[in-house]
Amino acid sequence: MSQNIENHLIEDREFLPSEEFRSKARISSMEQYNEMYKESIEQPDVFWAREANELQWSKPWDEVLDWQPPNAKWFVGGELNVAENCVDRHVAAGRGDKAAIIWEGEPGDKLTLSYKQLQDEVCKMANVLESRGVEKGQRVLIYMPMIPEASIAMLACARIGAIHSVVFGGFSAESILDRLEDCKAEAVITADGGWRRGSIVPLKASVDAALEKYAGVKTCVVVKRTENEIDMVAGRDVWWHEMAAVASNEHEAKSFDSETPLFILYTSGSTGKPKGILHSSGGYLTGAYTTCKYIFDMREEDVYWCTADVGWITGHSYITYGPLAMGATQLMYEGAPNFPDFGRFWQMIEAYKVSIFYTAPTAIRAFIKAGDAFPEANDLSSLRLLGTVGEPINPEAWMWYYNKIGGGRCPIVDTWWQTETGAIMIAPLPGCTPIKPGTCTQPFFGVEAVILDEEGEEVGANEGGRLMIRKPWPSMLRGIYGDPQRFQETYWNDFEGIYTVGDGARRDEKGNFWIVGRLDDVLNVSGHRLGTAEVESALVAHPTVAEAAVVGRPHEIKGQAVVAFVTLKQGIEATAELEKELRNHVGQVIGAIAKPDEVYCTPVLPKTRSGKIMRRLLKELVATGEVTGNVTTLEDFTVIEDLQKKIKS
Ligand code: WT7
């Protein structure tokens, strides 16, 4: 935390877009930005109506915004079909032959889908889902590798008004089960497997394990990808290629109310199980579209590549919905960035002449470590714009990205946002905003971001506080699925009508935002959110564990590493094997990203006299090896001394 603040206080490097970039950009001066920003805040109706009108509506809205905190409705009474906007609209405009998705599998297989071909596939999938009884409003869980069918499945759901919930392919069977039960899904779309670092991830097997304990799914569509042996349950499971072979590529799309739920995406909170963030149609699409247009400055001739997985919000907004709503050409890649080696991304950028590249700081740090020889081996001159997302980017990583990947020529858009915000909220506009390593710079149109103190007063320049959003925005979450109370408590209880982000931040004298990190018990591991409570509950579910406390430790590549402290049940001996088993156990319960880097067995955990675990001390201990903060409430200091020895050894 303090490191970031110091960086910013000493960070005086500032970069402006080249004249070449600026002259072609949609927004090419700060005056233009300021003017549009002012309008977006003072007359959101006017601003957002103009943007939303670039999309296709079958019925115009009566009112742009109906805001009854914490409930917002956007484009009230308007009707549209999200999938038609992302696909059919472009075909109808004579752009059917344009490449929509250029895909490369990890083993090197390739496929290009034009907008017309994408339309055929989406229509077929929509027909298949309907033939299997999937209806508007039903929930469909999608558990897929990064293949075009992942986006096709999402769009097919959108097309028929079903609500998809994509679960990242790295999550476990148990995580699938939790989500199936929470959203009461009635159908699943998955694949036999996906390729990752040369091995097959057995996706269907995980789905099967989850479905053994959940009877609500009546249909499971399986895409053949890896050709590994899988079980097909008669009556329930169908092969996509068999269904697609006989399905019609014509499907008449109905229009849906702007507020029709589009998807549920689960994300970690500071307590309890992951929450199902609910997004709706018209506002969400407008947000994804508008940010692609202005922040990525996407153009007809661009080849855009976002390296996220569709299992995260970045994949939803900046692989599936935003770029396709823009009619862009995008590259999609199935596998790992380091397969067969760390040159993969750079080879692909050269091969496909990628012009806009969007990735995460954790990936950049891994590339730095792998060495400059990899990017130097390829011609990256097609790139014109770079983006980053997921966590604060450290200045060293920023400078490397800027120089080694961008050739000192490409603006970097550091995009701050969240699963809940649906679209980018704070980021530079690449044609005008002066950029600096480590700051996501200025709020996007319509975003009234403020930094407040505990009393709800705005803090001064360079003073830290809580990042909050004052006004509703089109792509904001519409709720936590099935839990309005948690929605209210998590996001709206701090100050009336103001959205609580959960991040700490400061704003410098030029108005740039510097994100410090989460203020709650949520970790950011490789740009992914992980609740310490989730990992703790996975640990105590193990038969040997009595109590667990999980904290984050700064990590060179991942941003944060997961460190767990556990006390064992009576008579259980702490061994290196057990610690290893506990790590794997967490991997099995949640998924590999949640595996603790270290597990320390300890006879006791540091607690207050009233019995609360003092995670703050553990956090400091793993970060620095010392404990300097206030320890007067600690019940027994020898606990800390013992842990110190353990950590050092
Ligand atoms: C949290 C949201 C938004 C897609 C990826 C993560 C952190 C995100 C940045 C950034 C500093 C960032 C915040 C935020 N974060 N982007 N550019 N600079 N921090 O989505 O899993 O919903 O996590 O990620 O802490 O609250 P998410």
Side-chain angles (χ1 to χ4, degrees):
M1 186 187 254
S2 59
Q3 199 199 341
N4 187 285
I5 295 169
E6 280 158 26
N7 282 341
H8 134 241
L9 292 175
I10 55 166
E11 188 58 73
D12 53 9
R13 290 170 287 197
E14 193 175 86
F15 301 84
L16 287 165
S18 66
E19 188 46 37
E20 150 94 6
F21 193 103
R22 197 191 62 76
S23 65
K24 291 186 186 150
R26 286 191 175 83
I27 299 182
S28 55
S29 72
M30 282 309 269
E31 291 72 51
Q32 198 187 348
Y33 161 74
N34 288 328
E35 204 175 290
M36 285 174 72
Y37 180 76
K38 189 162 179 269
E39 182 196 47
S40 73
I41 296 297
E42 289 172 0
Q43 294 170 279
D45 293 24
V46 176
F47 181 89
W48 287 115
R50 197 171 53 234
E51 293 300 331
N53 262 324
E54 293 184 10
L55 298 172
Q56 177 184 312
W57 297 78
S58 54
K59 180 170 175 280
W61 53 85
D62 307 314
E63 199 188 352
V64 171
L65 170 66
D66 171 5
W67 175 227
Q68 322 229 340
N71 300 308
K73 288 187 184 147
W74 283 87
F75 312 110
V76 186
E79 286 182 7
L80 79 170
N81 184 292
V82 168
E84 266 190 328
N85 268 283
C86 293
V87 185
D88 307 53
R89 189 163 68 96
H90 310 305
V91 178
R95 298 162 70 223
D97 291 336
K98 180 177 177 174
I101 300 174
I102 304 172
W103 173 81
E104 193 171 296
E106 197 188 69
D109 39 346
K110 297 175 174 70
L111 180 78
T112 297
L113 283 179
S114 67
Y115 272 95
K116 176 66 186 116
Q117 289 167 320
L118 182 63
Q119 182 183 41
D120 289 346
E121 296 303 299
V122 173
C123 287
K124 281 192 251 171
M125 182 80 85
N127 283 323
V128 167
L129 292 175
E130 281 183 342
S131 75
R132 302 285 300 176
V134 180
E135 289 172 10
K136 173 173 190 269
Q138 289 188 345
R139 276 79 51 224
V140 178
L141 186 136
I142 298 176
Y143 188 65
M144 287 283 248
M146 282 297 290
I147 55 177
E149 287 82 354
S151 285
I152 291 165
M154 293 163 80
L155 291 163
C157 290
R159 192 169 185 101
I160 65 171
I163 307 168
H164 61 70
S165 185
V166 185
V167 177
F168 170 58
F171 279 125
S172 65
E174 220 165 297
S175 293
I176 299 174
L177 179 62
D178 281 346
R179 287 153 176 78
L180 284 169
E181 284 175 339
D182 187 80
C183 74
K184 301 184 187 62
E186 318 206 26
V188 172
I189 306 172
T190 188
D192 48 0
W195 289 103
R196 188 86 190 165
R197 271 185 210 104
S199 319
I200 292 172
V201 182
L203 298 169
K204 176 62 164 57
S206 297
V207 168
D208 287 342
L211 291 182
E212 253 169 48
K213 298 189 185 140
Y214 175 82
V217 165
K218 292 170 208 77
T219 202
C220 176
V221 180
V222 187
V223 177
K224 193 171 227 151
R225 164 65 189 136
T226 44
E227 316 241 341
N228 51 320
E229 276 295 311
I230 59 162
D231 293 330
M232 293 292 278
V233 174
R236 187 193 72 189
D237 301 350
V238 291
W239 282 110
W240 162 240
H241 63 276
E242 289 176 4
M243 301 294 284
V246 293
S248 163
N249 63 350
E250 276 172 35
H251 177 270
E252 200 179 325
K254 292 196 187 76
S255 296
F256 300 111
D257 185 273
S258 176
E259 281 302 324
T260 303
L262 181 63
F263 65 85
I264 299 164
L265 184 59
Y266 287 84
T267 189
S268 299
S270 47
T271 55
K273 295 211 166 182
K275 40 196 183 194
I277 303 301
L278 181 68
H279 281 284
S280 70
S281 302
Y284 170 79
L285 194 66
T286 302
Y289 169 82
T290 310
T291 46
C292 279
K293 186 173 67 169
Y294 292 120
I295 298 169
F296 293 117
D297 195 38
M298 268 179 210
R299 303 185 162 274
E300 194 56 32
E301 60 281 6
D302 274 314
V303 178
Y304 162 87
W305 183 17
C306 167
T307 68
D309 189 286
V310 288
W312 311 107
I313 191 69
T314 308
H316 282 61
S317 304
Y318 298 108
I319 292 178
T320 301
Y321 292 111
L324 295 177
M326 280 293 291
T329 293
Q330 70 175 306
L331 179 62
M332 185 189 231
Y333 168 57
E334 177 186 35
N338 59 349
F339 190 85
D341 60 37
F342 275 101
R344 185 66 183 258
F345 278 15
W346 321 127
Q347 284 155 18
M348 288 177 63
I349 289 175
E350 176 177 331
Y352 299 102
K353 301 205 169 23
V354 172
S355 55
I356 306 175
F357 180 65
Y358 190 29
T359 195
T362 183
I364 298 167
R365 290 190 297 262
F367 288 127
I368 296 176
K369 213 170 166 197
D372 294 356
F374 287 111
E376 280 165 5
N378 292 98
D379 175 7
L380 306 179
S381 62
S382 57
L383 290 169
R384 67 176 194 94
L385 177 61
L386 303 174
T388 137
V389 61
E391 55 175 311
I393 181 164
N394 47 310
E396 305 77 70
W398 195 100
M399 288 307 302
W400 186 88
Y401 196 32
Y402 190 76
N403 290 319
K404 295 286 171 194
I405 305 307
R409 162 189 88 245
C410 309
I412 297 179
V413 289
D414 177 348
T415 62
W416 177 87
W417 58 299
Q418 308 178 293
T419 304
E420 292 87 339
T421 68
I424 297 169
M425 299 290 276
I426 309 180
L429 294 178
C432 64
T433 314
I435 51 175
K436 268 173 188 247
T439 168
C440 51
T441 73
Q442 311 271 340
F444 186 64
F445 302 128
V447 176
E448 196 174 332
V450 286
I451 297 172
L452 304 183
D453 65 17
E454 302 297 304
E455 275 72 52
E457 296 295 322
E458 242 177 277
V459 303
N462 289 320
E463 276 174 55
R466 314 180 193 189
L467 180 59
M468 311 279 294
I469 317 284
R470 268 201 212 282
K471 279 197 155 64
W473 61 99
S475 62
M476 68 195 284
L477 75 167
R478 298 300 193 265
I480 293 178
Y481 191 74
D483 201 343
Q485 196 187 334
R486 193 173 177 197
F487 174 57
Q488 171 73 42
E489 282 164 7
T490 312
Y491 304 108
W492 304 100
N493 269 3
D494 287 349
F495 310 109
E496 180 85 44
I498 306 182
Y499 171 79
T500 298
V501 162
D503 284 0
R506 59 180 53 226
R507 197 170 192 183
D508 67 22
E509 55 292 332
K510 291 186 175 160
N512 292 314
F513 282 86
W514 298 77
I515 307 295
V516 177
R518 300 289 308 185
L519 295 171
D520 51 16
D521 288 323
V522 171
L523 307 183
N524 189 325
V525 180
S526 302
H528 301 308
R529 242 202 270 186
L530 192 62
T532 49
E534 265 173 87
V535 184
E536 287 167 5
S537 97
L539 283 165
V540 296
H542 192 273
T544 62
V545 175
E547 262 188 319
V550 167
V551 295
R553 168 171 66 69
H555 185 279
E556 207 192 345
I557 302 223
K558 296 196 277 191
Q560 276 188 308
V562 182
V563 182
F565 293 88
V566 297
T567 61
L568 300 174
K569 285 188 182 151
Q570 200 77 48
I572 308 278
E573 203 192 326
T575 61
E577 288 81 72
L578 179 60
E579 288 175 3
K580 191 169 161 214
E581 186 183 321
L582 292 175
R583 291 186 62 233
N584 290 334
H585 167 76
V586 174
Q588 256 154 34
V589 174
I590 303 176
I593 53 163
K595 262 191 185 180
D597 290 69
E598 287 127 40
V599 174
Y600 294 109
C601 295
T602 165
V604 267
L605 288 168
K607 287 189 184 169
T608 62
R609 289 186 183 90
S610 61
K612 275 208 187 115
I613 298 173
M614 296 180 79
R615 288 185 184 72
R616 175 177 64 79
L617 299 186
L618 293 172
K619 198 173 161 188
E620 197 187 342
L621 193 64
V622 295
T624 65
E626 307 293 330
V627 168
T628 54
N630 182 354
V631 289
T632 51
T633 52
L634 181 65
E635 196 192 32
D636 174 9
F637 193 76
T638 58
V639 179
I640 292 291
E641 289 168 343
D642 291 344
L643 281 174
Q644 240 164 349
K645 280 183 214 138
K646 219 179 174 104
I647 287 170
K648 283 187 177 147
S649 69

